[in-house]
Amino acid sequence: AQTVTQSQPEMSVQEAETVTLSCTYDTSESDYYLFWYKQPPSRQMILVIRQEAYKQQNATENRFSVNFQKAAKSFSLKISDSQLGDAAMYFCAYRQGYGGATNKLIFGTGTLLAVQP
Amino acid sequence: GAGVSQSPRYKVAKRGQDVALRCDPISGHVSLFWYQQALGQGPEFLTYFQNEAQLDKSGLPSDRFFAERPEGSVSTLKIQRTQQEDSAVYLCASSLDVGSNQPQHFGDGTRLSIL
């Protein structure tokens, strides 16, 4: 069974600085997708960035980028120029690739990010 | 609507009561998912619909949990004879298609508290 592990329950960063959130996963599949979701106190889960396992190039979305190490099964999120609005719970998630029966997401336990002004 | 809508936003029930949680997915979205999120944890998969067909219910914790999507749009998650361990946030998500990398769009969730 696939698992996702986030080993940092809480992180803190100064406004305008850079922070990296860690995520590791375990799977025997070769085709899958990885995601970072942000969940503010309002509870709505918002997609931050996604990575296809077959792509070697790391995904980037504005201030958000990932370091995808397939062999190490590691998928970290880097937030540059942190803003107060980035404060939230961040979840790493895994989804089996095309042909998977469900496309369900498997989530880690989350990292609570605080941004200090 | 513009996004996934869930109702009610909060639900308080006494142990033993039945509850029904509603999810309105984004119009035209084929796939619909229910997740359960306990306090301080990540969401856990409950069940999945493709249109009106429930293709995966492997995450439902017991036979007290039942979900339906009779017309392939709105879905209802029903919990019978609620117990305290059912207290959680229930999230609904929808995605446009199956077998692609379409992202799942989440609603705001229903926070269920069982007294």
Side-chain angles (χ1 to χ4, degrees), chain B residues 5-28:
Chain B
S5 177
Q6 291 188 246
S7 60
R9 187 159 171 83
Y10 300 92
K11 176 70 178 177
V12 179
K14 293 182 179 179
R15 186 166 58 92
Q17 289 183 329
D18 298 347
V19 298
L21 312 180
R22 177 187 170 103
C23 173
D24 269 288
I26 295 173
S27 178

Side-chain angles (χ1 to χ4, degrees), chain B residues 38-59:
Chain B
L39 186 64
Q41 300 296 315
E44 292 192 357
F45 170 78
L46 292 176
T47 188
Y48 163 67
F49 289 87
Q50 182 180 329
N51 295 308
E52 69 278 3
Q54 188 176 20
L55 298 187
D56 188 343
K57 52 182 180 179
S58 63

Side-chain angles (χ1 to χ4, degrees), chain A residues 33 37 39 42-45 47 50 52 91 95 98 101-105 107-109, chain B residues 9-10 33 35 37 41-43 45 48 56 99-104 106 108-109 111:
Chain A
Y33 301 93
Y37 278 89
Q39 187 178 44
S42 66
R43 295 203 304 260
Q44 187 176 37
M45 200 76 74
L47 178 64
R50 65 185 174 193
E52 292 88 346
F91 290 98
R95 195 185 80 197
Y98 183 79
T102 298
N103 292 328
K104 67 184 179 186
L105 291 168
F107 288 88
T109 52
Chain B
R9 187 159 171 83
Y10 300 92
F33 304 81
Y35 294 87
Q37 186 176 18
Q41 300 296 315
F45 170 78
Y48 163 67
D56 188 343
S100 69
N101 70 343
Q102 289 292 326
Q104 293 183 21
F106 284 80
D108 290 345
R111 182 178 297 279

